[in-house]
Amino acid sequence: MAATTSTSHLFFSFIFSLTILISTVHSHNITDILSKFPDYSLYNSYLTQTKLADEINTRETLTCLVLNNAAMSSLSAKRPLSAIKNALSLLTVLDYFDGQKLHDLSSGTVLSTTLYQTTGNAPGNLGFVNITDLKGGKVGFGSAAPGSTLDSTYVKSVKQIPYNISVVEISAPIVFPGLLTDSAGPDLNLTAVLDKAGCKIFASLVVRSGVLKSYQSAMAKGLTILAPSDMAFAAKGVPDVGKLSSADLVALLQYHALPGYVPKGALKTTTAPIGTMASSGAGKYDLSVSATGDEVTLHTGVDSSRVSGTVVDSTPLCILTVDNVLLPRELFGTSPSPAPALGPVVSPAPSPVSASPSPSPVARSPSPAAMSPPAPPAGSPEGSPSESANDVTKSGAGGVRVSKALGGLAVLLSLMSSVL
């Protein structure tokens, strides 16, 4: 009887664990969700053009406040992509709100943070939105800026994946003074921006080598600069760039730029090597990317560097700072190979007059689960067009979650078979 009870308990535990595993497999793709609703085709298109779709797909709990084609057309008219991205970032709330929750706010009003707040471009609490239950079935939305009015209202619920993503339509965009300003226009002083970001050495090298002109000519079509900090050039093991030939210095600086607009959110979804401005062919001067949570790391084959911050994110220009100088293997060789593992040590045969040696203690190996790092929570907008050979190649977060879930399922099945 006891054995039967124990077996039943294990069985139900297995079913519960299986349910949890299956729930982790599910992920969202905002462009795929909106593709089924023609009324939001323009909004969906701008999510792809601004690369916001990439960022949305890597987030776990959020609400997209969408605009219909007429409202989106009014917002986007004669405005640069950078301004449109600001507006859509403010419409991406980092909390889950479905229709019921919007009409049942405990205090009647709430300030909720948005994706725009995470950019670092929002002064004070301007990256928050004010959501207020106006009663009578109406919910108002407005900027958190002092004195702002609730110029937008809830229209309808569009799609929900409970507690993961909610899509609701609102009547008008949420704006505040300065939101729709292009922060990086054609007159942007690139070296001044780099200097202010603590990348003075990099800026001086870019000017001295003539690479600045290459950067400036690429900005209009799309450019992402990976700028090492001044401390990165002083780090141990960094070669003396002053001893590089002119051609090698140019190649090194071009290696620190991607020919396209690739913000951090897009890098988080990258699975294949990406080309740089120095790339002259397949596999030449490329970078690979890994991500864990919100942290992105670039790998050269010689060294690695964390993407430490965003200086400018203004479509089509993005300037990111990196902790280390990126050293391409084409100039500096490959990273040192790890030392070979030592073979088993064979003890000499004991002398006939000695006592038998005590058995050697056996070291326990850590379990694979303890050694494996968590998989990066990356997502992939299937609807994103590939703009060039150097565009980020994406593989959805769903694939990562499926692999992890199936691995866990295999372990559970193995345990159950051994018990039952």
Side-chain angles (χ1 to χ4, degrees), residues 4-366:
T4 303
T5 303
S6 177
T7 301
S8 299
H9 178 73
L10 285 171
F11 176 77
F12 286 113
S13 295
F14 167 75
I15 296 298
F16 176 77
S17 300
L18 181 59
T19 302
I20 296 297
L21 282 168
I22 291 174
S23 69
T24 64
V25 172
H26 198 71
S27 63
H28 62 262
N29 185 310
I30 185 61
T31 54
D32 183 55
I33 291 173
L34 292 178
S35 67
K36 299 175 177 61
F37 301 93
D39 286 348
Y40 314 117
S41 60
L42 189 57
Y43 181 98
N44 199 15
S45 173
Y46 277 115
L47 285 184
T48 299
Q49 293 179 57
T50 60
K51 303 293 181 79
L52 270 176
D54 297 327
E55 185 69 35
I56 290 172
N57 289 340
T58 63
R59 298 277 176 171
E60 291 297 331
T61 304
L62 73 166
T63 301
C64 292
L65 306 176
V66 301
L67 303 171
N68 65 25
N69 290 336
M72 191 66 222
S73 179
S74 177
L75 171 66
S76 60
K78 298 181 180 180
R79 289 195 171 98
L81 272 179
S82 57
I84 296 170
K85 181 173 184 177
N86 288 345
L88 298 188
S89 296
L90 192 64
L91 296 181
T92 306
V93 180
L94 302 184
D95 197 357
Y96 182 86
F97 289 94
D98 54 17
Q100 180 178 352
K101 185 175 177 180
L102 287 172
H103 287 94
D104 193 26
L105 298 174
S106 57
S107 60
T109 186
V110 65
L111 289 180
S112 192
T113 188
T114 69
L115 206 54
Y116 185 65
Q117 184 71 21
T118 69
T119 64
N121 297 326
N125 65 348
L126 294 187
F128 288 73
V129 294
N130 179 355
I131 305 175
T132 300
D133 185 359
L134 301 176
K135 306 302 180 184
K138 291 187 176 181
V139 178
F141 297 83
S143 166
S148 295
T149 57
L150 301 175
D151 294 327
S152 183
T153 56
Y154 170 81
V155 176
K156 64 181 179 180
S157 173
V158 178
K159 174 71 176 180
Q160 281 76 41
I161 300 176
Y163 312 110
N164 187 352
I165 185 170
S166 176
V167 181
V168 299
E169 181 185 341
I170 60 174
S171 62
I174 301 168
V175 297
F176 59 81
L179 177 68
L180 301 178
T181 301
D182 185 8
S183 59
D187 298 327
L188 177 74
N189 188 326
L190 198 54
T191 55
V193 171
L194 291 171
D195 282 351
K196 187 176 179 181
C199 306
K200 293 183 179 180
I201 296 175
F202 181 72
S204 66
L205 292 172
V206 167
V207 172
R208 190 181 82 196
S209 64
V211 172
L212 178 63
K213 292 182 179 179
S214 299
Y215 284 180
Q216 290 172 330
S217 62
M219 283 170 57
K221 293 183 179 179
L223 177 68
T224 300
I225 298 174
L226 308 169
S229 64
D230 290 341
M231 292 180 62
F233 284 96
K236 183 179 179 180
V238 175
D240 184 355
V241 294
K243 295 181 179 179
L244 294 177
S245 67
S246 296
D248 285 350
L249 179 60
V250 167
L252 177 65
L253 297 174
Q254 289 180 335
Y255 188 63
H256 283 78
L258 310 179
Y261 172 68
V262 191
K264 187 177 178 181
L267 284 174
K268 286 195 289 187
T269 67
T270 305
T271 58
I274 53 176
T276 65
M277 285 188 70
S279 298
S280 56
K284 297 294 186 180
Y285 287 96
D286 59 8
L287 289 164
S288 59
V289 186
S290 63
T292 302
D294 199 45
E295 187 166 295
V296 175
T297 303
L298 305 174
H299 308 275
T300 71
V302 177
D303 66 347
S304 298
S305 180
R306 183 179 67 95
V307 175
S308 53
T310 299
V311 180
V312 172
D313 184 354
S314 184
T315 315
L317 173 66
C318 185
I319 301 177
L320 304 172
T321 52
V322 291
D323 286 341
N324 299 318
V325 178
L326 301 171
L327 304 176
R329 57 184 178 274
E330 289 79 4
L331 295 180
F332 302 102
T334 56
S335 56
S337 300
L342 296 176
V345 178
V346 180
S347 301
S351 169
V353 296
S354 349
S356 297
S358 301
S360 300
V362 179
R364 287 183 182 271
S365 298

